[in-house]
Amino acid sequence: MPTTRSKSDSLYQTVRQDILSLDLEPGAPLRLPTLSERYRIGLTPLRECLNRLTTEKLVVIEHNKGFRVAPLSRADLLDLEQARNAIEGALFVDSIRQGSDTWEAAVVGSYHHLSKTPFPSVLQAPEDLAQWTKRHEAFHRALISGAPSVWMHRFCDQLGDQLGRYHLFIQNGLREMSVTQPAQASTAAATFSKAMELAPHTALHDAALARDTDAAAELFRAHANLSIQAFEELIQLLPAETPVGTLLRHPTNEASA
């Protein structure tokens, strides 16, 4: 029979995944009676769950309004990318210094899988993009897996989850635009794809195997900047009235509140 703790953890994982997958939309109010009916659980464990998610900044508490899914904003997106550059980049360099032969093998194997999966347009079948995303994440995990810092890995995982919400929001928005504004959606999707090309990943792979920490640090900064540059270009390409255009143009979280 499930314990109270296991039920609490299960609820936490379910609500957390619903936020990361956008089933609970950014900025949406989280009303306890509605959630109680949705998850078939009492108000007390729900309140505890939402308070727990506030510590990860996936849920926010607004004065006199209660809980809300953490909204999205351009400023937050760029901050997350810069934080990822600092933390994941440091883990990558430390992995090169301390990684074993097993670490090298993981890098080689994950890169091989990624190289066999060209990045599909975000306008194509979601399952194709999901396959690439899975292999891309595996490659990045392999690059940093030689570093021993438990806390830095934990922070890196949290950053990855937060950025995943943004990427999914943008991808979904571009698919919706492909129906109403196909020409603009196609141009924007091509811009998004440029940041995901294989060549920068090949450079990271080569620096890892060469154990070149200086090159690795510079290459990772350049790799992170590709995403930032893509988002800046999308600001100019996407119509302001679309959800993605609104997000990327608005500097604060008020756009999604």
Side-chain angles (χ1 to χ4, degrees), residues 39-104:
Y39 296 109
R40 298 183 180 181
I41 200 163
L43 299 183
T44 297
L46 267 173
R47 189 176 289 106
E48 292 173 352
C49 171
L50 296 180
N51 277 317
R52 184 176 175 184
L53 288 166
T54 63
T55 66
E56 297 184 44
K57 298 190 181 300
L58 290 172
V59 169
V60 296
I61 303 176
E62 295 183 339
H63 183 61
N64 291 332
K65 292 184 179 180
F67 296 100
R68 184 178 294 273
V69 178
L72 305 178
S73 74
R74 183 182 73 205
D76 189 53
L77 170 59
L78 297 180
D79 190 25
L80 286 167
E81 287 287 359
Q82 290 160 357
R84 174 188 174 230
N85 175 26
I87 294 177
E88 190 174 338
L91 286 169
F92 180 36
V93 169
D94 204 25
S95 291
I96 290 176
R97 291 195 182 105
Q98 301 193 54
S100 63
D101 290 346
T102 301
W103 168 75
E104 282 194 15

Side-chain angles (χ1 to χ4, degrees), residues 81-93 139-140 143-144 156 200-201 203-204 207 213-227:
E81 287 287 359
Q82 290 160 357
R84 174 188 174 230
N85 175 26
I87 294 177
E88 190 174 338
L91 286 169
F92 180 36
V93 169
F139 174 65
H140 274 271
L143 288 177
I144 65 175
C156 195
H201 298 94
L204 293 172
T213 55
D214 290 338
E218 182 58 35
L219 287 167
F220 198 89
R221 278 193 295 271
H223 182 58
N225 284 335
L226 286 175
S227 295

Side-chain angles (χ1 to χ4, degrees), residues 64 76-77 90 135 151-152 154 174 176 181 183 195 197 200 207 221 224 245 250:
N64 291 332
D76 189 53
L77 170 59
R135 293 189 172 190
W151 277 105
M152 288 184 71
R154 183 176 297 177
L174 293 181
E176 291 172 4
Q181 297 160 298
E197 291 176 345
R221 278 193 295 271
H250 207 287

Side-chain angles (χ1 to χ4, degrees), residues 137-207:
E137 290 175 351
F139 174 65
H140 274 271
R141 282 197 303 271
L143 288 177
I144 65 175
S145 62
S149 174
V150 174
W151 277 105
M152 288 184 71
H153 278 288
R154 183 176 297 177
F155 294 145
C156 195
D157 288 343
Q158 291 176 346
L159 288 168
D161 286 342
Q162 290 280 5
L163 281 167
R165 276 208 314 155
Y166 280 92
H167 292 175
L168 186 57
F169 183 83
I170 292 170
Q171 291 161 15
N172 290 348
L174 293 181
R175 287 197 195 95
E176 291 172 4
M177 278 182 58
S178 70
V179 177
T180 58
Q181 297 160 298
Q184 288 172 301
S186 179
T187 301
T191 298
F192 191 83
S193 295
K194 282 195 301 184
M196 310 299 177
E197 291 176 345
L198 182 63
H201 298 94
T202 301
L204 293 172
H205 165 271
D206 293 348

